[in-house]
Amino acid sequence: EVHLVESGGGMVQPGGSLRLSCAASGFTFSDHYMDWVRQAPGKGLEWVGRIRNRGNSYSTEYAASVKGRFTISRDDSKNSLYLQMNSLKTEDTAVYYCARSSDNWSDWFDPWGQGTLVTVSS
Amino acid sequence: DIQMTQSPSAMSASVGDRVTITCRASQGISNHLDWLQQKPGKVPKRLIYDVSSLQSGVPSRFSGSGSGTEFTLTISSLQPEDFATYYCLQHNSYPPTFGQGTKVEIK
């Protein structure tokens, strides 16, 4: 069974940093693209960014709202995905989900992890 | 960015009702349109991908249709477990964008 487990969330002050992790199991992690999606409290879903697989040079894409502040990386040897968040703002407060995708245009965001809450507040 | 507009934003329906949710894209998105379901306090779950393909394990009362910029999610006979928020998602171009969600509540 495919399993994604996020960790690393918590409370941080504006301007601070946090690193989220996503541990994957039940599938060949190295084959897949991986995404981060967030959901502010009581709000809708917002894509944060993506990292492609080794065959696509681990290239990344980011939402405009986080570009230059957030960095996505992965360690295929550990079946792990990461989200380094710097210069955090109050509007970054959200539950952050990792989600599996594939290297085709039909297979996006399935499944999702259980999410980890990031609260940015002074 | 492509804007995705869902309607209605919320609705009340009874068990057994036929429910239709619409999603409109600000420009053509080919067939790269998915529908997701999120129950309160739970993780989003993909129901339909590429407009009309049913995700494995999803009941056949869910169906999707549409093309170009107008898409529809239909629940043929609403069940108690279907009360949730539904989101459309376009992944035709970056950034992928979601509709604002449609909350289906019990009448």
Side-chain angles (χ1 to χ4, degrees), chain A residues 39 50 105-107 110, chain B residues 38 43 46 50 55 91 94:
Chain A
Q39 186 169 35
R50 154 172 288 190
W105 285 94
S106 292
D107 191 13
D110 181 68
Chain B
Q38 186 176 32
V43 175
R46 189 174 72 180
D50 287 352
Q55 182 74 15
H91 49 87
Y94 286 99

Side-chain angles (χ1 to χ4, degrees), chain B residues 48-61:
Chain B
I48 289 171
Y49 62 96
D50 287 352
V51 178
S52 59
S53 296
L54 203 61
Q55 182 74 15
S56 175
V58 173
S60 59
R61 62 180 179 273

Side-chain angles (χ1 to χ4, degrees), chain A residues 48-68:
Chain A
V48 171
R50 154 172 288 190
I51 186 164
R52 297 181 179 88
N53 55 18
R54 180 181 179 183
N56 288 278
S57 305
Y58 299 125
S59 56
T60 54
E61 306 279 352
Y62 295 96
S65 58
V66 307
K67 196 169 187 178

